Amino acid sequence: VHLVESGGGLVQAGGSLRLSCAASGFTTSDYVIAWFRQAPGKEREGVSCIDSAGRTDYGDSVKGRFTASSDNAKNTVYLQMNNLKPEDTAVYYCAAIDGVMLTMTLLPDGEYDYWGQGTQVTVSS
């Protein structure tokens, strides 16, 4: 499985960005793709996840501001980030499980088998 993130950049507080994660190589049509972020000096934090059925889950710090979506025809998952705050500044990674979960829950990063290279998001105050 190969994941490529894009869409990061510099934005002012209160602004929006949309990240994309283009995926390839899944063995079936079932997948789970999560977004994580890591700021300098901090642990990696789960942001959101979405599966091939469109079920989602979010971390508490982004609920109500971030929305995950997918376009299965394009094998791409998106993360719409609104009302961005300086504390959202981090490198954002997408990660995948090649398969299906019984329940849609954002899992710890160690549970994901495949990772992208990351994209930088910087929010200025």
Side-chain angles (χ1 to χ4, degrees):
V1 174
H2 188 54
L3 306 172
V4 179
E5 303 96 332
S6 61
L10 173 64
V11 64
Q12 289 187 332
S16 298
L17 280 175
R18 189 178 79 159
L19 304 183
S20 299
C21 174
S24 61
F26 288 118
T27 57
T28 71
S29 60
D30 296 321
Y31 65 81
V32 177
I33 292 181
W35 289 96
F36 286 82
R37 66 187 182 186
Q38 189 164 23
K42 295 187 177 182
E43 293 187 355
R44 193 153 49 188
E45 175 190 14
V47 175
S48 74
C49 60
I50 185 168
D51 70 4
S52 48
R55 300 181 299 172
T56 58
D57 191 25
Y58 298 92
D60 289 340
S61 62
V62 305
K63 283 180 179 177
R65 299 189 298 124
F66 291 10
T67 302
S69 62
S70 62
D71 185 336
N72 289 337
K74 295 182 178 179
N75 293 323
T76 300
V77 165
Y78 304 98
L79 183 67
Q80 178 67 41
M81 306 185 295
N82 297 329
N83 190 23
L84 283 161
K85 304 175 182 180
E87 52 263 43
D88 294 319
T89 295
V91 178
Y92 283 70
Y93 301 89
C94 62
I97 294 171
D98 187 5
V100 65
M101 296 168 55
L102 291 178
T103 58
M104 186 74 266
T105 303
L106 189 57
L107 298 176
D109 56 2
E111 300 295 325
Y112 296 87
D113 302 312
Y114 306 97
W115 290 81
Q117 82 288 351
T119 186
Q120 176 70 46
V121 171
T122 303
V123 184
S124 63
S125 58

